[in-house]
Amino acid sequence: MMTNKLIARLMVAATLTAAAATGTAFAAGQQDAALAGAAKAGAATNDEAITSKIKASLADQKQIGVTTAEGVVTLSGTVANTDEGTKAIQVASAVPGVKEVKSELTVASK
């Protein structure tokens, strides 16, 4: 009889330990997912700010499109000459948070 009670207690203890470990792992996974989501949201907000700053700096060049993803800026559109394209790239590169500038700009034919 005493052995049965001891075995029952050990089984309950083992079950509670396993449940606690699973719960902790589950909670840690949820926390990691939440932090990753927050980081992505923060990156998206930062990308929007970068795009806005570049567009404001290039307000006189409406034909240049600006997109930003994870700090990488892509400039697209047509410019009148290479100097305008170079200026746009330099302006974009100078904005804080920009990791890289990719140019898909084309020079208009004369």
Side-chain angles (χ1 to χ4, degrees):
M1 183 92 152
M2 193 75 130
T3 306
N4 289 342
K5 285 184 179 179
L6 180 61
I7 291 172
R9 285 184 183 162
L10 288 173
M11 289 178 64
V12 168
T15 302
L16 290 174
T17 302
T22 303
T24 302
F26 179 72
Q30 283 185 320
Q31 184 178 15
D32 290 345
L35 290 174
K40 286 182 182 178
T45 301
N46 193 39
D47 287 343
E48 291 171 10
I50 290 170
T51 299
S52 294
K53 288 176 186 176
I54 295 170
K55 284 183 176 182
S57 296
L58 298 174
D60 60 329
Q61 297 181 10
K62 301 279 187 205
Q63 75 282 8
I64 296 178
V66 180
T67 57
T68 308
E70 298 179 17
V72 178
V73 175
T74 302
L75 302 176
S76 60
T78 304
V79 292
N81 54 54
T82 56
D83 289 340
E84 280 187 17
T86 301
K87 178 187 170 201
I89 293 168
Q90 289 171 343
V91 166
S93 297
V95 173
V98 173
K99 297 176 185 174
E100 180 183 355
V101 177
K102 294 183 178 181
S103 176
E104 296 177 359
L105 297 170
T106 57
V107 177
S109 58
K110 295 183 180 186

